[in-house]
Amino acid sequence: NPTEGIINFQDAINQNYDLDLYTIQGLFIQRFKITSNNSSIDISHLPNGVYLMIAKPNQKTSFVEKIVKI
């Protein structure tokens, strides 16, 4: 972080889950379906700025990460 468009990550959870992308103002942008085969997402089509990435591996847990696109 920062990124020009490709976000690579390692999945310690090793399961399928949704990853939601929001503007810093909280507006929903896109949902990505993450699988054990998927270790990157592409946000190159989005304008430069700060985004929030929220991973929801199950109903009780979520993880939030700030992403800066340059």
Side-chain angles (χ1 to χ4, degrees):
N1 207 356
T3 182
E4 291 183 356
I6 303 296
I7 301 169
N8 296 305
F9 55 94
Q10 289 184 321
D11 181 7
I13 301 165
N14 200 22
Q15 65 184 23
N16 299 340
Y17 58 93
D18 292 336
L19 189 142
D20 293 341
L21 190 66
Y22 293 86
T23 65
I24 195 68
Q25 293 84 12
L27 297 173
F28 176 76
I29 297 174
Q30 187 174 355
R31 174 167 287 155
F32 299 91
K33 297 288 185 185
I34 304 302
T35 65
S36 57
N37 303 349
N38 184 343
S39 62
S40 66
I41 60 173
D42 183 3
I43 62 166
S44 61
H45 62 285
L46 296 175
N48 294 348
V50 179
Y51 298 90
L52 296 176
M53 183 173 64
I54 302 175
K56 301 173 186 174
N58 60 50
Q59 297 290 4
K60 297 179 183 178
T61 307
S62 64
F63 302 95
V64 178
E65 190 71 34
K66 180 175 73 171
I67 303 297
V68 178
K69 177 163 181 299
I70 55 172

